[in-house]
Amino acid sequence: MDVSRVRETMGPLFDVWSEPAGRAIEVAPRAWSVCAGVVNVGVIETSEGLVLIDTGMRNEADRLRALVREVTSAPLALVVYTHGHIDHAFGLGPWLAEGAAPRIVAHRNLVERFRRYERTSELNSEINARQSGGPRTWWPETAADFHRPDTVYDDRLALRLGGEEIHLRHAKGETDDCTWVWLPGRGLLCPGDLWVSVCPNAGNPQKVQRYAEDWADAAEEMAALGTAAMVPGHGMPVTGADAIRERWLDLAALLRHIIDYTIDALNAGRTPEEIVHGLRLPADLAAKPYLRPYHDRPEFIVRNLIRLYGGWWDRRPANLLAAPVAEQAREFVALAGGAGPVVDRARALAGDDLPLACHLAEWAALADPGDAGAHRCVADLFAMRLAAETSFQARGIYREAVTRAEQALTAARPRRGDGGGPGREDLPR
């Protein structure tokens, strides 16, 4: 693994999620949090065999199994999927090759998720490559890549293995098939991606609907458990009942603030843009290190709530059945006198209002796809956005904008007779 490349791709999230990587951390007697890269798997040894809470990623599966085998040789008896994302439910292959035949349990909605993934493999390959910077081959490609559950449940399910109680509860949050796992005899909680050690992933501009209100409900329920140790979906394990309770209550408070603000603003007739730009977080919650916007952003959560409660229309009548964006850009750029003046204005704005400058650069490139100066401006300005951005989700989109603009340069003409327009050295510092 090229660690420097992964660090550049993930940004600040790398330092949060990679900290437990490459080791098995004992969180309770005969219970470990095991991380081969950025995803945690809960490993519980019972007298009747191992329980795996998630199985990790396909491309990290061999390493994960090897890490587990460093601490226990018990046979695999039970697998619980906390949800069906590719980093949590696709690493079972090496265990099956070892000869394991575990019972696999998940929420009923996970089955439909797998069906949807098979139908939309190309779409999801593209989305995940853009978001993570990883290869498209990370996405499952054939039916054989999906290790489906043989037991599904609806709201809750109690299991027993080796004399231990294992309680499964359904929640909606990052997905509609979330399961959180509670072992009362050990005081151990495995919440999957309901806890990811940063701002909850309840927005995500490229993915299906998230469920912030249900997530807050689940957080408050888990806060009341009196948990001694927690193996999150990502990030370091957490121990101590007070610390764990505080984290869940803070997460719930953050989500409820965003939910209440958004619904109040919708009821007041404010437009989506006004709502997003008007969001202000309570200072005490914004300062919490485990709520930092390193994966999702609060603004994305607002937009997801607007979609949930108010649909996709942005309340601008011209955008309901809009003209193609490229046609809009051509008219705007023609009024400005061509792509050159728009690019010059974008570069002049970049030091004071980079988001607005990026709009101008995009319009110039859309209006005149053959203009190298426009594409160079897009690449430069979005490189600035990327350098300043903390959110993993936003970073992936900005990174692709830079890549596409630089690819377009190869087919574009120089902006001026001198061989091209302003370069990176002309950007404001």
Side-chain angles (χ1 to χ4, degrees):
M1 179 174 64
D2 184 346
V3 175
S4 62
R5 182 179 180 277
V6 176
R7 182 185 293 276
E8 189 282 328
T9 298
M10 294 182 68
L13 189 61
F14 178 86
D15 293 322
V16 178
W17 281 11
S18 67
E19 190 172 357
R23 52 188 167 136
I25 301 172
E26 191 167 15
V27 295
R30 296 185 303 144
W32 300 267
S33 174
V34 182
C35 179
V38 296
V39 184
N40 295 330
V41 171
V43 180
I44 300 102
E45 183 179 341
T46 77
S47 62
E48 293 184 35
L50 287 182
V51 181
L52 290 187
I53 311 300
D54 287 335
T55 60
M57 300 177 69
R58 183 174 61 175
N59 63 316
E60 295 179 352
D62 288 322
R63 187 180 185 213
L64 177 71
R65 191 189 67 83
L67 289 169
V68 173
R69 286 300 177 222
E70 290 179 5
V71 295
T72 175
S73 60
L76 179 59
L78 175 66
V79 169
V80 177
Y81 292 146
T82 65
H83 60 300
H85 279 170
I86 63 167
D87 53 340
H88 291 265
F90 288 87
L92 191 55
W95 296 94
L96 301 180
E98 183 185 73
R103 181 183 184 185
I104 305 174
V105 184
H107 186 264
R108 187 177 304 278
N109 289 346
L110 180 138
V111 178
E112 179 54 38
R113 173 177 299 280
F114 279 1
R115 290 196 192 102
R116 188 171 73 246
Y117 282 175
E118 289 186 274
R119 294 182 65 196
T120 59
S121 59
E122 288 300 315
L123 169 66
N124 279 287
S125 295
E126 178 184 350
I127 289 171
N128 280 276
R130 181 186 302 119
Q131 178 170 287
S132 70
R136 291 170 65 95
T137 53
W138 284 8
W139 193 259
E141 298 170 333
T142 68
D145 294 326
F146 294 84
H147 301 294
R148 289 168 168 77
D150 49 59
T151 302
V152 296
Y153 77 101
D154 292 305
D155 180 55
R156 61 183 70 207
L157 179 66
L159 304 171
R160 291 187 69 85
L161 187 70
E164 299 200 44
E165 294 183 6
I166 304 170
H167 294 267
L168 279 55
R169 286 296 312 276
H170 174 237
K172 289 184 177 180
E174 183 183 59
T175 66
D176 66 356
D177 60 345
C178 293
T179 290
W180 54 269
V181 183
W182 169 236
L183 287 84
R186 301 187 186 222
L188 178 62
L189 175 65
C190 297
D193 278 2
L194 291 167
W195 185 266
V196 293
S197 307
V198 290
C199 179
N201 187 10
N204 201 318
Q206 301 185 79
K207 299 294 182 75
V208 298
Q209 185 68 54
R210 268 69 168 124
Y211 304 92
E213 197 149 16
D214 302 86
W215 198 331
D217 292 341
E220 290 167 350
E221 186 173 355
M222 285 183 279
L225 292 173
T227 305
M230 178 169 72
V231 177
H234 300 272
M236 286 295 291
V238 185
T239 57
D242 290 343
I244 294 170
R245 180 176 184 274
E246 178 185 22
R247 281 162 171 74
W248 285 119
L249 292 179
D250 285 342
L251 184 149
L254 176 76
L255 290 175
R256 293 209 185 280
H257 174 84
I258 296 172
I259 294 162
D260 292 345
Y261 161 78
T262 303
I263 292 176
D264 288 347
L266 286 169
N267 283 330
R270 297 172 66 188
T271 68
E273 289 304 306
E274 290 171 336
I275 297 170
V276 171
H277 289 287
L279 176 67
R280 299 293 181 271
L281 298 179
D284 60 328
L285 293 176
K288 298 287 185 177
Y290 44 77
L291 295 178
R292 291 170 292 192
Y294 286 176
H295 195 304
D296 213 327
R297 292 189 65 102
E299 297 93 333
F300 299 163
I301 300 175
V302 170
R303 289 198 181 276
N304 213 308
L305 288 162
I306 292 171
R307 177 175 64 172
L308 178 64
Y309 290 110
W312 57 264
W313 179 47
D314 65 4
R315 309 306 187 265
R316 293 174 57 192
N319 284 342
L320 182 62
L321 294 168
V325 174
E327 291 183 12
Q328 297 179 45
R330 283 193 290 272
E331 286 300 313
F332 170 83
V333 169
L335 288 171
V342 177
V343 167
D344 291 340
R345 178 58 179 162
R347 291 190 177 278
L349 275 174
D352 298 319
D353 195 336
L354 186 55
L356 182 56
C358 286
H359 282 295
L360 298 182
E362 276 193 342
W363 290 338
L366 284 167
D368 192 351
D371 189 288
H375 294 300
R376 180 75 270 163
C377 187
V378 170
D380 291 346
L381 298 193
F382 278 100
M384 294 173 68
R385 294 295 292 271
L386 176 61
E389 181 55 53
T390 63
S391 163
F392 179 59
Q393 295 167 12
R395 287 176 62 82
I397 292 170
Y398 292 156
R399 186 187 315 107
E400 185 181 66
V402 174
T403 300
R404 287 184 178 275
E406 290 179 340
Q407 291 170 344
L409 277 167
T410 62
R413 65 179 182 277
R415 178 180 160 193
R416 299 186 182 116
D418 61 3
R424 293 178 187 271
E425 67 276 6
D426 299 298
L427 288 171
R429 302 295 182 184

